[in-house]
Amino acid sequence: MSLTHARAILPAVGTAHAAPLDDAGALAALSTGCFRFSPWVAPCGADGIWIDATGVSHLFGGEDRMVARIARVLAKSGLTARIAMAATPGAAWALARHGRAPVCVSTSTHDLDPLPVMALRLDAGTARSLWRVGIKTIAALKAIPRATLPLRFGKLLVTRLDQALGHAPESIDCIVPQEARRRAIVFADPISTAEDIRRCTEKLVRGLCEDLEKRQEGARKLDLVFMRTDNSHQAIRVGAGRPSRDLKHILKLFAEHMDTVAPGFGIDKAVLTAWKYAPLFPTQTDSDGGGQHAGDLAQLTDHLANRLGESAVYRLAPAATHIPERAQNRAAPAEDIPASAWPTCLPRPVRMFSPPEPVEVVSLLPDHPPARFVWRGTLRKVRCADGPERVCGEWWLNRDEVAEIRDYFRVEDQDGARYWLFRDNRLTPNQSHLWFLHGVFA
Amino acid sequence: MTGYAELQVTTNYSFLRGASYPRELVMQAADLGLSAIAVTDRNSLAGVVKAYAAATDHKKKTGQEIKFITGCRLDLACGRSLLCYPQNREAYSRLVRLLTLGKRRVEKGQCHLTYDDVATHGEGQIFIALADAALGDFPDESLRNFLTRLKGDFRHQTYLALTRRFRPNETPRLEALAELARDCRIPTVATNDVLFHKSDRRILQDVVTCIRLGKTIDTLGHDREWSADRFLKPPAEMARLFSRYPEAVEHTQAIAARCSFSLGELAYQYPDENLIPELTAQEALEKLTHEGAAERYPQGVPEKVKRQIAYEMAIIGKLKYAPYFLTVWRIVKQARKIGILCQGRGSAANSAVCYCLGVTPINPDEQKLLFERFISEDRGEPPDIDVDFEHERREEIIQWIYNTYGRDHAAMTATVIHYRSRRAVREVAKALALPEDIAAGLVAAIWGWSESGVGEDRARALGLDPNDWRLKLLIRLSKQLIGFPRHLSQHPGGFVISKDRLDDLVPIENASMEDRTVIEWDKDDIETLSMMKVDVLGLGMLGCLRRAFDLLRDHKGIHQTIAGIPRDDPALYDMLCKADSVGVFQVESRAQMNMLPRLKPRCYYDLVVEVAIVRPGPIQGGMVHPYLKRRQKIDPETYPSEELRAVLTRTMGVPLFQEQAMEIAIVAAKFTPSEADALRRAMATFRNDGRIHEFADRFIGGMTRNGYEKDFAERCFEQIKGFGTYGFPESHAASFAILVCASSWIKCHHPDVFLCAILNAQPMGFYQPAQLVRDAREHGVTVRPVDVNASRWDSVLELDPGNPKGYLAVRLGFRLITGMKEEPVAALVAARERPYVSPRDLWRRSGVAVTQVVHLAEGDAFASLGFGRRDAIWSVKALRDGSLPLFDAAPSGGPEFAEPEAVLRPLTLGGEVAEDYVHLALSLRAHPLSFLREKLRKHGWMSLDSLKNKKDGAYVNIAGLVLVRQRPGTATGVVFVTMEDEFTHANLVVWSTVFERYRSEVMTSRLLACSGKVQTEGNVVHVVVRELFDLSHWLKALAQDPEEMSVALPGAAAEMRLASRDFH
């Protein structure tokens, strides 16, 4: 069914974009979680998980109880699951997807008989071919002489049937659980002096930096958590503009906040986690020691940002819009913005007022530049001017801007000072125009 | 005050650049008092004729002239641009050839031109160089070189444009340009680079820019047009803006004066048809007409017809249209020669000459002809002849025309694809960065070809806030965009043929279809310039009739033609009065079937009325019921006035045809004939520029002043509005009525032949093969299943000795099997010298690919060999294409290699029927519902024949398979659903409030149950729906073997082809 068709039936139907990568990620995470049931786990297709229960079910008190346990755990995390345990992976697959009960433990291969042939992990084409000649169930398939099958439906059909019935072996590759970028120290005797805290921090950071180096990664966000003996904890979070595994740099970032740690009755555990990280490859320094400046600047902005707050340090990036006050955005200090990104044909003042300051202006209509104007109580006579530069409001943002048209003028006064003024072309209730001074040129 | 002419104007025919129609721009220029306006679309002349027509109309209406200059903006491959204006006819031809050259080089919709191309076609043109390569940049060396080159090549034909951009440093930029011009000794000229006619189109212009670039308004950034001042300005304002360069403003006047070329000079020449060397075209036409007349009237040409021919000949001679008639005659003759049925439709059917030439089928002796509808001296319009050909053989005629007249002289006309509601809403929503869901939700409610956009109520119904600014913008802007041209496409069959090279008249570009070339103008433009057009159209019914005539000849020895079919056969009218019209041309639709028993046609002219009456025109005008009442003698036949008696007497005082509505405008509202025609055309054109109200006032006002009732006047006007797009002129209805006659006659007397022919002409018409077969069987025709040993590609007739009515039997053809291809069938039939004994035997002997043998098995074509569906598929599954030498060596027909026998479960009867529908879309075994009858009864759903005995107003619960869903444009919001079961048909009426509630049931159910109220009118029964239930899932049970009931094939289940047809 196409989306258009679906909407013709139910116009309000909700939709979400398919995100197969996200789905696969979530399934992998869930698989990792299943290590609690068995050491042998693997995701299965796009919607399933294999758990090899060989030799582990006794730990849960038997097969039935193990299956029930898995169902309970998954239900607790809000997942609806169908679970089957059987003698072969193929049979478990079939029962989990096509069996009657949502949770079952199969004891006999005959359990498969009433299931549709689809349950044998067949592609849709093969299943349809079988269906068309009236072979719809596994029982019906078993009744057909084996020798006639491969020629008509391919070898895989027989293989799948044998795998499900246990006549042919099947192996499953287990996944390797992923390591977190984390270091921890547990103290036999709780620590509380500033010196101890500093030393343990340094040890943690050094260890983590070594881990990161092995992985060729650098940390962007780090959490340092101190567990206190009274079961409360204290945390420090720092960030770096560029990925870093520089011991000194990271220690400096933490040092800024170290005095906020109150050990109370003592700290018995410290954990350092890099929860945001990015690839960082070793770089060669220039032989003359240059090439460090970028790094220095990055470290400086990191320090400033850590001290003043992240939003306090930024650089300007051009924004593609006609409205002058919107023509620049704040960008992260580390972002690379070439000078060529700024439009060259639009002379803009170095300093813009926000909001623009109202001025009294004497000028000729309809679009002549001002002859003189009063700004901040001082009369300025215009000696020369360029304009108008006509700028239209961005009508799509709100209805006030539909009619907004500004005429900008660059003017120079008798003292050689240069200003940027505009007239709002919308008429005021008393049939005049408002003028504003939007900026001054250097 | 100096005058000003705007020489740089982009219309919305520079697709998705300009934001105003050519007409709007011309009218605005006239209002502002500009002395002239030029249209300069990008590498295109697509908009110029419309602008020219607007300027001509303006002069006619007000007496004031606004000079229109034909022009074009040439965007060269090097990045520079030029405005080009031909000064005279010769220069115009050069420009057209230049554009044709650029367009034929590249794909459709593009144009590749170099400076050298321009140089070789530059004689007699005036060029204005543009300096807008980059945003308000200063002139540079490359511009200087360009100007020097232009000046060297074209001397005094060259200018440089000065345009205000309202950007920083404008004064120095203009000064630098003026200085550069002085250096190069090129005069400057002021332009405003207009993109829209009034300032309020600015927003729409931003939106079309977004659509063109595929961006959203938020990301459009610097691609948004900088200057908001791209609208037409009055001369005084232009003079003020260019006060430093008064000569630049004056030069606009000089250029306007030098461009004396007008599109009106394009003297179109009919192609020479030197068919009879020693005679002139007129003489040749007379000779052919008289020969034709002698053939048409073997007993001698009646006096009335002779007079009519003489009268028409005189006018044709006076207007010099003879070559046109000869061209059409030649095309029709060619079609006859290669055995393609064809028939003229439209106003040409009003001509006795056309009848004698064999172009049209209306006998002037039997029918009153209104030749003036076809050709009139007053209107000075070229005649327009539309000819229908057999649908599937039309391409042969098209290629014959290209080959006979040559690609330089014949080309297809363009059709301008306009924005309609759906696309407008969708694309504006995208430009406004609204989520796709919203657009899709809004669009979902629009049926088909709506032109009214979406409203706030629709947004509210979706749970959206109609006060949201972007949503408001979407609703408003999409309404503005509706009607805008979006791109040029190819007209389905309009041909322009000329004596002179066509690329002297109009640019020609490649069509997206191979072997087709298309001109840049559409049919309105062609009409404006009095060029000849022949419509070569396709009609499925003609193909069906030709097949039927062939079958009659081959199997029954009857030689029949369309013209030879009796039009007064009572049996035929008896059949139609019973609404027994499944498959009959035009009158087979549900609405027509309802009308037939009420109208009770008894003669040919009744059929003409029948065809015309079930159309939006008469329905919107409320003319249907008055006519029926008068026919049934319930109401007296009265006339609104004596002067209208002559107009309306044919239709008992009720206007039903387009011609009559026009005549009312002339007689009662005192329109001149050309005004009436303008009125008709204003209704027909898609977007009416607001002229509709002007006409409404004049029409209704005129009639009331002349003493007619306002109500009647309003109804007449409503009718004209309805006629506009869907109207049937009488002559057209008359031509169609002949096909109604022909198809009814065959259906009535030879239902076997009719079924066979119509099955072979599919897809066509209103009904699916399943209904056609069912109808024929009800009439006593034996229908036999597809069989590998008997069928051919087409369905064929077979002897049926036991048939009580003496009909032949119809053997279904392989073409009915889904997925079957024609060539393998040819191989299969060729290798059938003795019957096939098994699927394997067929595969080996015929060499048909396995996939095709599978289709045969699925279509149950091996049944007569003792192979049921499953057995056949099972044995086909073991076959592999490609040579297997080992098996080839084995004697064919010998024992198949030893394989253990597999016992397959046979299909149930219900399963067979379901499979029939999946693979053949019909079943000869049983109706699917007969298997569900018991279950339906248990749930209280009655069969459809139970409606017969119900009284008006009774409540019923019925269920049936959905055949047709129809939502006529005439009945706002009502959906008609036609259902069938194993007994009969029934019609449901779903009012809009009910529809909204049961949208999903109406739109998707295949098996539908309904509770509602019976509504009878005469012997027509409807059920007005109260509640609906989707029972489609019951159909799945049909295919199921009770023992396998628990098993379902998820997702992949093959859908039963209980196809319904949806008409909007």
Side-chain angles (χ1 to χ4, degrees):
Chain A
M1 181 184 277
S2 74
L3 188 57
T4 327
H5 192 189
R7 283 201 173 108
I9 304 166
L10 184 66
V13 65
T15 58
H17 283 279
L21 283 179
D22 293 353
D23 291 349
L27 188 65
L30 190 61
S31 307
T32 314
C34 289
F35 278 113
R36 70 170 84 177
F37 303 119
S38 158
W40 207 256
V41 174
C44 161
D47 59 354
I49 296 173
W50 297 114
I51 300 175
D52 189 345
T54 316
V56 290
S57 56
H58 69 277
L59 295 174
F60 298 87
E63 294 181 337
D64 290 318
R65 297 181 71 167
M66 178 178 180
V67 170
R69 171 80 178 279
I70 295 174
R72 229 173 18 248
V73 169
L74 290 175
K76 242 187 214 163
S77 37
L79 296 165
T80 317
R82 293 178 60 89
I83 304 161
M85 189 184 279
T88 64
W93 195 98
L95 288 162
R97 283 170 176 77
H98 298 274
R100 282 248 168 110
V103 176
C104 75
V105 176
S106 164
T107 47
S108 151
T109 53
H110 288 295
D111 290 345
L112 295 178
D113 287 353
L115 300 191
V117 285
M118 295 290 286
L120 290 174
R121 289 180 279 168
L122 305 177
D123 59 282
T126 309
R128 202 157 37 231
S129 301
L130 287 165
W131 194 263
R132 277 197 309 213
V133 292
I135 304 171
K136 300 184 181 182
T137 59
I138 293 176
L141 182 64
K142 277 155 93 181
I144 302 289
R146 269 176 73 91
T148 62
L149 291 174
L151 177 63
R152 292 178 170 82
F153 306 102
K155 287 202 185 77
L156 190 63
L157 172 66
V158 182
T159 310
R160 286 298 188 213
L161 184 63
D162 288 347
Q163 282 176 342
L165 299 176
H167 303 320
E170 181 174 15
S171 69
I172 290 159
D173 290 333
C174 176
I175 51 165
V176 185
Q178 252 196 357
E179 290 168 50
R181 282 98 179 123
R182 170 177 299 192
R183 283 268 169 156
I185 306 178
V186 181
F187 305 103
D189 298 318
I191 58 165
S192 56
T193 67
E195 180 56 21
D196 283 345
I197 293 172
R198 196 195 56 75
R199 275 222 312 272
C200 104
T201 305
E202 188 176 332
K203 195 173 166 200
L204 284 170
V205 173
R206 174 168 290 127
L208 189 68
C209 286
E210 281 165 11
D211 292 349
L212 290 171
E213 181 144 24
K214 274 184 219 142
R215 293 168 175 273
Q216 302 222 337
E217 284 171 347
R220 291 283 311 274
K221 302 275 184 203
L222 294 141
D223 278 353
L224 179 57
V225 182
F226 297 100
M227 313 285 192
R228 301 202 306 199
T229 44
D230 58 1
N231 262 342
S232 68
H233 62 264
Q234 306 237 302
I236 304 173
R237 169 170 291 187
V238 298
R242 291 161 188 262
S244 167
R245 54 170 180 263
D246 180 346
L247 173 68
K248 275 204 289 197
H249 178 54
I250 295 175
L251 278 178
K252 254 188 192 168
L253 296 179
F254 279 119
E256 302 263 350
H257 302 281
M258 212 48 99
D259 49 354
T260 62
V261 179
F265 297 107
I267 292 163
D268 57 5
K269 188 179 179 188
V271 182
L272 175 65
T273 315
W275 53 274
K276 197 168 172 189
Y277 44 86
L280 175 66
F281 301 103
T283 48
Q284 172 127 33
T285 46
D286 290 354
S287 52
D288 61 356
Q292 288 286 337
H293 298 298
D296 290 348
L297 186 62
Q299 294 195 359
L300 174 67
T301 51
D302 283 349
H303 282 298
L304 289 171
N306 274 309
R307 189 170 296 172
L308 304 170
E310 269 185 49
S311 59
V313 185
Y314 59 89
R315 66 188 299 171
L316 289 180
T321 165
H322 295 182
I323 309 294
E325 64 266 34
R326 294 181 190 140
Q328 47 279 315
N329 283 332
R330 290 181 175 194
E335 208 164 296
D336 217 5
I337 300 157
S340 60
W342 294 91
T344 50
C345 58
L346 297 171
R348 293 289 182 251
V350 283
R351 178 145 184 240
M352 283 193 352
F353 298 118
S354 176
E357 302 188 358
V359 283
E360 297 287 322
V361 170
V362 176
S363 79
L364 286 174
L365 283 172
D367 57 7
H368 288 274
R372 47 182 185 273
F373 64 94
V374 178
W375 177 50
R376 295 190 178 169
T378 316
L379 176 76
R380 287 155 221 261
K381 282 190 182 146
V382 174
R383 218 178 45 168
C384 55
D386 175 67
E389 177 189 349
R390 195 156 286 173
V391 173
C392 296
E394 298 188 318
W395 48 264
W396 57 92
L397 296 177
N398 59 63
R399 70 194 70 193
D400 297 335
E401 288 192 44
V402 171
E404 182 173 350
I405 296 177
R406 301 178 192 167
D407 276 357
Y408 276 92
F409 295 92
R410 278 186 301 157
V411 302
E412 191 174 314
D413 72 2
Q414 73 273 27
D415 302 329
R418 293 190 295 142
Y419 304 92
W420 208 38
L421 296 107
F422 74 85
R423 182 188 53 219
D424 190 328
N425 279 355
R426 288 174 292 192
L427 280 176
T428 56
N430 55 3
Q431 299 300 305
S432 62
H433 292 287
L434 294 177
W435 281 84
F436 297 89
L437 193 126
H438 205 166
V440 288
F441 290 88
Chain B
M1 193 183 83
T2 51
Y4 175 72
E6 183 55 63
L7 296 174
Q8 188 175 6
V9 176
T10 305
T11 74
N12 56 11
Y13 281 80
S14 291
F15 303 115
L16 300 175
R17 271 181 209 278
S20 291
Y21 296 89
R23 175 172 290 275
E24 290 173 330
L25 288 156
V26 171
M27 301 312 278
Q28 176 72 359
D31 285 353
L32 293 175
L34 299 191
S35 62
I37 180 170
V39 163
T40 51
D41 282 319
R42 296 201 175 212
N43 296 335
S44 162
L45 294 174
V48 294
V49 182
K50 288 176 177 75
Y52 164 77
T56 324
D57 282 357
H58 178 74
K59 194 182 170 192
K60 241 190 255 167
K61 222 180 265 170
T62 62
Q64 285 162 347
E65 185 165 13
I66 168 136
K67 177 162 181 173
F68 172 71
I69 301 167
T70 304
C72 178
R73 170 178 169 146
L74 304 171
D75 284 341
L76 304 181
C78 63
R80 289 276 161 209
S81 296
L82 283 170
L83 302 179
C84 172
Y85 315 92
Q87 283 176 275
N88 48 43
R89 174 72 177 81
E90 292 71 36
Y92 173 77
S93 290
R94 276 188 285 275
L95 172 61
V96 167
R97 276 193 209 181
L98 172 67
L99 290 173
T100 304
L101 180 75
K103 282 167 191 287
R104 292 294 302 270
R105 269 182 194 150
V106 281
E107 275 172 47
K108 173 185 183 300
Q110 295 169 3
C111 187
H112 181 95
L113 288 173
T114 64
Y115 180 84
D116 294 329
D117 298 328
V118 175
T120 51
H121 293 82
E123 198 189 329
Q125 323 280 8
I126 286 180
F127 293 108
I128 300 180
L130 300 177
D132 62 350
L135 290 168
D137 263 348
F138 275 77
D140 56 3
E141 269 315 293
S142 94
L143 181 62
R144 177 183 295 270
N145 294 339
F146 184 68
L147 290 179
T148 316
R149 218 173 147 192
L150 266 179
K151 178 71 178 172
D153 288 340
F154 301 113
R155 317 294 311 165
H156 300 299
Q157 293 160 248
T158 321
Y159 292 82
L160 175 66
L162 292 185
T163 311
R164 294 279 304 251
R165 298 259 171 239
F166 299 96
R167 309 292 318 278
N169 295 319
E170 179 125 282
T171 320
R173 182 180 66 90
L174 288 178
E175 197 49 50
L177 280 172
E179 201 177 301
L180 177 62
R182 263 194 300 280
D183 280 1
C184 301
R185 294 196 209 153
I186 288 177
T188 55
V189 55
T191 74
N192 196 31
D193 197 359
V194 167
L195 287 177
F196 35 90
H197 71 301
K198 282 182 178 168
S199 59
D200 55 10
R201 283 286 168 85
R202 171 169 61 93
I203 292 179
L204 188 61
Q205 206 282 326
D206 285 344
V207 170
V208 296
T209 306
C210 286
I211 297 173
R212 189 181 80 241
L213 300 175
K215 293 187 170 184
T216 70
I217 190 70
D218 302 280
T219 58
L220 189 60
H222 296 301
D223 289 325
R224 187 178 166 212
E225 290 292 341
W226 269 93
S227 171
D229 281 35
R230 310 282 291 268
F231 51 88
L232 286 167
K233 293 180 177 169
E237 173 68 359
M238 290 307 288
R240 190 187 69 79
L241 287 171
F242 288 91
S243 54
R244 289 169 69 101
Y245 309 99
E247 71 286 354
V249 177
E250 280 159 29
H251 287 149
T252 63
Q253 300 293 83
I255 293 175
R258 286 172 70 181
C259 293
S260 61
F261 170 73
S262 156
L263 284 169
E265 289 171 43
L266 294 184
Y268 167 79
Q269 297 282 325
Y270 289 110
D272 272 334
E273 299 284 0
N274 281 324
L275 300 173
I276 309 166
E278 64 275 15
L279 299 182
T280 64
Q282 180 75 15
E283 286 163 351
L285 180 65
E286 280 178 26
K287 183 164 181 285
L288 289 169
T289 305
H290 289 300
E291 283 170 14
E295 235 171 83
R296 286 280 199 190
Y297 303 100
Q299 282 89 33
V301 184
E303 207 44 47
K304 180 180 159 197
V305 177
K306 268 190 196 156
R307 269 204 311 278
Q308 177 73 16
I309 290 175
Y311 168 68
E312 290 182 18
M313 276 300 174
I315 295 180
I316 292 169
K318 199 162 152 199
L319 299 174
K320 301 198 174 57
Y321 286 154
Y324 175 59
F325 284 85
L326 292 176
T327 303
V328 176
W329 175 78
R330 223 174 130 191
I331 296 170
V332 168
K333 195 179 118 188
Q334 173 64 21
R336 299 256 151 82
K337 195 169 129 198
I338 54 178
I340 301 177
L341 274 193
C342 60
Q343 176 177 310
R345 65 154 92 160
S347 57
N350 278 315
S351 156
V353 172
C354 282
Y355 177 72
C356 293
L357 290 177
V359 175
T360 56
I362 310 293
N363 186 345
D365 195 29
E366 295 166 5
Q367 188 95 15
K368 191 191 164 209
L369 298 188
L370 298 159
F371 188 65
E372 294 71 24
R373 293 276 150 261
F374 178 41
I375 297 176
S376 137
E377 280 183 83
D378 305 339
R379 272 181 292 156
E381 264 168 23
D384 182 9
I385 301 183
D386 302 342
V387 188
D388 289 318
F389 295 86
E390 282 177 45
H391 183 72
E392 64 271 49
R393 298 187 64 188
R394 190 175 68 113
E395 188 62 27
E396 294 174 39
I397 293 293
I398 289 175
Q399 289 306 329
W400 178 82
I401 293 173
Y402 273 131
N403 293 335
T404 309
Y405 294 92
R407 268 164 210 279
D408 293 337
H409 300 269
M412 310 212 67
T413 57
T415 310
V416 181
I417 303 299
H418 297 273
Y419 273 98
R420 294 181 189 279
S421 297
R422 278 164 181 276
R423 197 188 306 220
V425 171
R426 212 175 266 137
E427 294 194 356
V428 173
K430 209 166 149 202
L432 291 176
L434 284 163
E436 221 179 291
D437 290 14
I438 291 189
L442 290 172
V443 161
I446 303 172
W447 280 62
W449 284 21
S450 155
E451 289 151 18
S452 52
V454 289
E456 286 187 6
D457 46 338
R458 180 68 205 154
R460 218 171 279 124
L462 284 182
L464 302 170
D465 173 13
N467 287 319
D468 177 77
W469 177 236
R470 292 232 175 169
L471 203 57
K472 262 194 156 35
L473 283 171
L474 169 63
I475 291 169
R476 200 165 77 200
L477 292 169
S478 57
K479 271 187 187 147
Q480 268 186 32
L481 188 63
I482 290 169
F484 260 48
R486 190 177 185 281
H487 59 266
L488 288 181
S489 176
Q490 163 191 318
H491 188 270
F495 254 104
V496 176
I497 308 174
S498 76
K499 174 182 168 188
D500 303 322
R501 285 179 57 156
L502 208 51
D503 59 359
D504 269 354
L505 295 169
V506 49
I508 301 172
E509 63 177 30
N510 294 325
S512 42
M513 235 167 123
E514 224 175 294
D515 281 344
R516 298 260 178 108
T517 45
V518 178
I519 64 169
E520 257 189 2
W521 292 342
D522 69 5
K523 65 178 186 358
D524 297 336
D525 299 337
I526 303 255
E527 211 173 303
T528 307
L529 298 178
S530 302
M531 290 168 71
M532 176 192 103
K533 185 180 110 238
V534 189
D535 271 356
V536 179
L537 303 170
L539 195 60
M541 182 45 83
L542 285 171
C544 172
L545 287 177
R546 203 238 322 136
R547 288 185 165 89
F549 294 149
D550 290 353
L551 288 169
L552 276 178
R553 186 191 60 217
D554 297 345
H555 291 273
K556 302 195 177 183
I558 301 171
H559 291 266
Q560 189 55 280
T561 60
I562 296 180
I565 281 175
R567 300 207 185 133
D568 46 5
D569 181 352
L572 179 165
Y573 293 102
D574 289 345
M575 178 184 89
L576 290 181
C577 285
K578 283 187 290 184
D580 178 7
S581 65
V582 171
V584 175
F585 186 62
Q586 281 287 315
V587 297
E588 61 173 341
S589 76
R590 278 285 135 202
Q592 289 278 6
M593 276 196 181
N594 288 340
M595 187 60 69
L596 282 167
R598 293 197 272 169
L599 198 123
K600 294 197 180 60
R602 291 312 316 176
C603 65
Y604 166 69
Y605 193 75
D606 290 345
L607 290 182
V608 178
V609 171
E610 171 77 35
V611 167
I613 200 167
V614 188
R615 303 291 302 174
I619 294 172
Q620 272 174 25
M623 302 300 184
V624 177
H625 288 277
Y627 177 79
L628 286 178
K629 279 189 181 150
R630 288 173 193 208
R631 226 185 124 83
Q632 292 160 8
K633 306 277 182 229
I634 298 170
D635 283 357
E637 206 175 308
T638 56
Y639 291 89
S641 73
E642 259 329 285
E643 57 184 356
L644 282 183
R645 181 179 284 274
V647 178
L648 299 176
T649 182
R650 273 168 294 155
T651 51
M652 318 185 99
V654 181
L656 294 177
F657 300 113
Q658 199 181 35
E659 286 94 338
Q660 292 174 317
M662 295 305 116
E663 249 169 302
I664 291 173
I666 296 167
V667 175
K670 304 297 176 213
F671 276 47
T672 66
S674 58
E675 280 173 336
D677 208 57
L679 166 65
R680 176 184 62 81
R681 208 159 320 149
M683 300 302 170
T685 45
F686 169 81
R687 181 77 168 194
N688 44 62
D689 316 336
R691 282 185 294 168
I692 226 171
H693 299 292
E694 203 181 301
F695 277 117
D697 292 347
R698 283 199 48 208
F699 185 91
I700 297 168
M703 280 186 72
T704 40
R705 259 197 307 286
N706 288 314
Y708 292 91
E709 275 176 36
K710 186 142 189 269
D711 173 57
F712 180 73
E714 273 168 1
R715 270 173 31 219
C716 285
F717 192 76
E718 275 308 303
Q719 188 176 3
I720 292 172
K721 257 162 78 178
F723 276 137
T725 25
Y726 313 97
F728 260 14
E730 184 174 4
S731 51
H732 190 70
S735 304
F736 272 14
I738 284 184
L739 297 182
V740 174
C741 233
S743 49
S744 325
W745 182 85
I746 298 173
K747 180 178 157 68
C748 180
H749 297 288
H750 305 279
D752 44 356
V753 169
F754 188 69
L755 174 68
C756 193
I758 202 166
L759 283 179
N760 293 340
Q762 289 293 315
M764 62 164 279
F766 209 72
Y767 294 97
Q768 299 283 347
Q771 283 88 54
L772 296 167
V773 165
R774 172 181 172 160
D775 184 66
R777 289 173 100 187
E778 280 168 8
H779 285 81
V781 177
T782 308
V783 182
R784 294 176 180 157
V786 184
D787 185 331
V788 287
N789 281 331
S791 289
R792 304 180 72 90
W793 171 250
D794 279 336
S795 299
V796 291
L797 292 173
E798 289 178 354
L799 292 177
D800 188 12
N803 192 299
K805 295 188 177 171
Y807 295 142
L808 297 171
V810 175
R811 170 71 68 183
L812 298 181
F814 292 118
R815 65 186 299 150
L816 285 164
I817 301 179
T818 320
M820 211 58 209
K821 296 202 176 65
E822 199 166 352
E823 307 90 83
V825 168
L828 184 161
V829 173
R832 197 162 63 186
E833 75 277 9
R834 61 177 192 282
Y836 296 118
V837 296
S838 70
R840 184 183 164 77
D841 179 39
L842 180 143
W843 170 70
R844 294 194 48 177
R845 272 165 54 196
S846 67
V848 171
V850 169
T851 49
Q852 293 287 308
V853 184
V854 170
H855 288 314
L856 290 171
E858 288 169 339
D860 203 18
F862 291 102
S864 68
L865 282 55
F867 283 81
R869 265 202 175 90
R870 285 180 173 174
D871 302 323
I873 294 172
W874 179 259
S875 68
V876 175
K877 274 272 159 198
L879 306 177
R880 289 287 174 280
D881 283 332
S883 172
L884 296 172
L886 209 81
F887 298 125
D888 277 356
S892 77
E896 313 214 347
F897 64 100
E899 208 189 18
E901 185 147 347
V903 181
L904 300 173
R905 196 178 173 77
L907 273 168
T908 58
L909 182 58
E912 292 282 9
V913 170
E915 287 287 307
D916 281 343
Y917 272 90
V918 171
H919 299 290
L920 295 159
L922 62 88
S923 178
L924 299 176
R925 292 183 164 92
H927 193 277
L929 284 199
S930 60
F931 301 95
L932 298 173
R933 183 50 60 204
E934 202 44 47
K935 190 174 177 186
L936 285 166
R937 210 192 319 275
K938 259 191 220 148
H939 284 78
W941 302 115
M942 306 312 294
S943 65
L944 301 181
D945 60 347
S946 68
L947 288 178
K948 260 187 286 187
N949 320 318
K950 289 283 185 295
K951 286 202 192 78
D952 191 43
Y955 280 93
V956 288
N957 296 312
I958 51 169
L961 291 178
V962 175
L963 285 189
V964 182
R965 283 177 274 261
Q966 202 176 8
R967 180 150 166 169
T970 47
T972 30
V974 185
V975 180
F976 295 109
V977 178
T978 305
M979 306 202 300
E980 71 160 19
D981 66 3
E982 66 269 42
F983 305 107
T984 184
H985 295 118
N987 296 308
L988 309 183
V989 180
V990 190
W991 293 105
S992 54
T993 48
V994 182
F995 173 67
E996 283 308 319
R997 205 156 5 115
Y998 294 104
R999 168 180 280 273
S1000 117
E1001 282 80 0
V1002 175
M1003 301 290 279
T1004 59
S1005 300
R1006 286 173 298 140
L1007 176 55
L1008 189 66
C1010 130
S1011 303
K1013 215 166 91 173
V1014 174
Q1015 197 178 63
T1016 55
E1017 205 179 303
N1019 48 5
V1020 182
V1021 182
H1022 283 283
V1023 177
V1024 180
V1025 172
R1026 288 284 180 94
E1027 285 180 288
L1028 287 171
F1029 303 90
D1030 182 359
L1031 302 183
S1032 306
H1033 56 280
W1034 286 21
L1035 292 168
K1036 282 206 184 108
L1038 192 65
Q1040 249 159 15
D1041 199 327
E1043 287 181 33
E1044 304 162 337
M1045 196 64 108
S1046 60
V1047 187
L1049 183 65
E1055 289 283 297
M1056 265 171 87
R1057 267 174 65 204
L1058 295 166
S1060 62
R1061 287 192 180 173
D1062 293 354
F1063 295 88
H1064 297 159

